[in-house]
Structure formats: structure tokens, C-alpha cells
Amino acid sequence: MQSESTVLQSEQAVTKSRILKKAFKAAFPYTIPIFAGFWFLGITYGIYMNVSGFSFLYPMLMSITIFAGSIEFVTVNMLLGAFDPLQAFAMTLMINARHLFYGISMLDKFRGMGGKKFYLIFGMCDETFSINYTADIPEDVDRGWFMFFVTLLNHLYWFSGATLGGIFGSLINFSTEGLEFVMVAMFVVIFLEQWLKEKDHTSSLLGLGISLLCLIAFGADSFIIPAMLAILAVLTLMRKPLEKKEGGAI
């Protein structure tokens, strides 16, 4: 009886190992462009912390616990300034408010994920959201573990880059100006890939048009949240017509 139980446990362990390996192999290629962008920006962030007078422990711990690139850069000035938790909360909310919309979009995809859901929520940055929301996951790959490994790999890329930048920042003398364009290029590629997958481009065109109008109306520094609110409202109102249109295009 004990032998049968041991064999069953061994078979279950082997099966789970195969599931994890398959999910990792499927997820890794999607994260390679993120690796390039995150390492450049992470190292830049680590160098910035270093030249601002902070030990490498700061970028290392902040990158693994905060994991929000924009606010991590802003946090440097917060740490150098007077202690003001309300200002820090307001600044963080304004900068990362777009994640509210990411969360709403992923409600159905995260359903039934079990304990993995908590890490998926914590680690859902812009790039991870883009991959997990749009990726064409093979039917024989576990969706939950696929999303988990995408999230984990992207997290590790940022963490390792920030840590290395903090450790070796004082030894790097070349200019890192303009490296942030790597992320812009990456998002353009993700958008174009999604465009090629779509049979109907109405949603994409609406998103581009609304974003352009909000950019003109609110300026480059303040248009993101109004644009997301407007896109959410318009797509919610047009959901049924768009679904019928997409269904007819199949």
C-alpha cells in the first residue's frame, strides 16, 4: 500500500514537473524583448541610486518589493526629501493608476488561478500585462503557469538589472541618456503584433484616436489616465457591436 502511494506521488511529481517545464519554455521567448529593455533601464536605475548616495541594497530591495519602474525612479527624490507619506501615496497613485484598468481587464483571466493569483496581481507591470493579455498560449500549456513564469521572469530581469547597476554603478562612465526609448520601441512592436492578429481593427483605431485627442487636450504629462478612462467608457458602450462585428469577421 505504501509502495503504491509512493509511486502515485512520484508520477504526480513528474507530471507537475513536465507541466512547469512546458509552461516555462512557452513563456520565456515572450520575455526576451522585455529582458533587453528591463536590463538597460534597471541598470540605469541602479546607477542613479548609486550616484545619489545609496547603497546597492536600496535598488536591490526596492526592485524586488516595489517592482514599478516609474515610481522607483521617483522614490529616489522622496528618500532624499522630507518625510511626507501622504505626498508619497498621492504620487504613487497618480503614476500607477493605470494598473487599476489592467486589473479590471485581467479579472476573467486570473479566475481559478489559486495561490498564483496573488503573485500575478503583485507582479503585473505594463510589459507583463501586455504579454499575458495578448499572448496566444498553446492549448497544451497551462495558462496559469504560463502567466506566472512571464511575471516571474520579468520581475527577475528588473531585479537583476537594478542590483547590478547599484553594485557596479560607480564603475560605469558611459552616458545612458536615451535608453528609455527601448521600452517605447518594445510597446510599438507589441501593438503591431496584436494588430496583425486582429481580424477587425476598430478597437485599436479607437484606442489610438482617443489617446491622440486626450494628448492634445491634456498634454503629454497628464493624458494617460483620461485616455484610459475614455477608452474604457467607449469600449464598454460599444462592447456588443464590436463583439458582433468580430464574430462576423471570423
Side-chain angles (χ1 to χ4, degrees), residues 32 55 89 94 99 136-137 170 175 177 184 214 221 224 242 249:
I32 293 175
S55 160
F89 173 78
M94 285 190 293
H99 289 84
D136 187 12
I137 305 173
S170 60
S175 174
E177 184 180 356
V184 177
C214 289
D221 296 329
I224 293 178
L242 287 173

Side-chain angles (χ1 to χ4, degrees), residues 30-243:
Y30 282 92
T31 67
I32 293 175
I34 314 298
F35 168 74
F38 270 21
W39 250 48
F40 275 120
L41 287 179
I43 289 173
T44 302
Y45 165 65
I47 294 171
Y48 181 42
M49 289 290 286
N50 181 280
V51 300
S52 297
F54 294 98
S55 160
F56 78 93
L57 291 173
Y58 281 84
M60 183 179 75
L61 294 175
M62 287 167 61
S63 62
I64 203 168
T65 56
I66 299 176
F67 190 40
S70 301
I71 195 61
E72 286 181 51
F73 277 95
V74 174
T75 303
V76 179
N77 292 326
M78 293 182 184
L79 291 173
L80 293 173
F83 178 67
D84 191 343
L86 290 178
Q87 182 186 22
F89 173 78
M91 184 69 71
T92 303
L93 182 62
M94 285 190 293
I95 292 175
N96 289 325
R98 65 190 183 280
H99 289 84
L100 294 171
F101 303 98
Y102 296 167
I104 293 172
S105 301
M106 297 299 288
L107 283 175
D108 289 335
K109 292 182 179 291
F110 284 172
R111 189 169 287 116
M113 292 295 181
K116 295 188 290 294
K117 178 171 65 176
F118 297 102
Y119 180 67
L120 292 173
I121 293 171
F122 163 76
M124 189 170 58
C125 61
D126 299 346
E127 297 76 14
T128 299
F129 166 78
S130 297
I131 294 174
N132 284 340
Y133 190 80
T134 62
D136 187 12
I137 305 173
E139 293 183 1
D140 61 340
V141 173
D142 185 279
R143 295 181 62 84
W145 284 115
F146 175 91
M147 293 183 182
F148 175 85
F149 282 123
V150 167
T151 306
L152 178 64
L153 286 168
N154 289 342
H155 194 177
L156 290 176
Y157 298 154
W158 179 257
F159 166 74
S160 58
T163 302
L164 287 173
I167 294 174
F168 300 109
S170 60
L171 305 177
I172 299 175
N173 298 316
F174 66 87
S175 174
T176 57
E177 184 180 356
L179 289 179
E180 64 275 6
F181 182 74
V182 172
M183 305 309 291
V184 177
M186 184 194 67
F187 277 116
V188 171
V189 171
I190 290 173
F191 174 80
L192 290 175
E193 183 179 356
Q194 185 64 19
W195 177 278
L196 293 173
K197 289 180 180 178
E198 293 175 342
K199 292 182 174 63
D200 180 80
H201 302 304
T202 304
S203 299
S204 297
L205 293 173
L206 282 172
L208 289 173
I210 292 170
S211 299
L212 180 59
L213 290 174
C214 289
L215 176 62
I216 295 171
F218 298 99
D221 296 329
S222 307
F223 84 99
I224 293 178
I225 294 177
M228 287 188 168
L229 286 171
I231 292 170
L232 178 64
V234 171
L235 292 181
T236 300
L237 291 172
M238 298 184 63
R239 180 177 178 180
K240 290 184 178 180
L242 287 173
E243 287 178 348

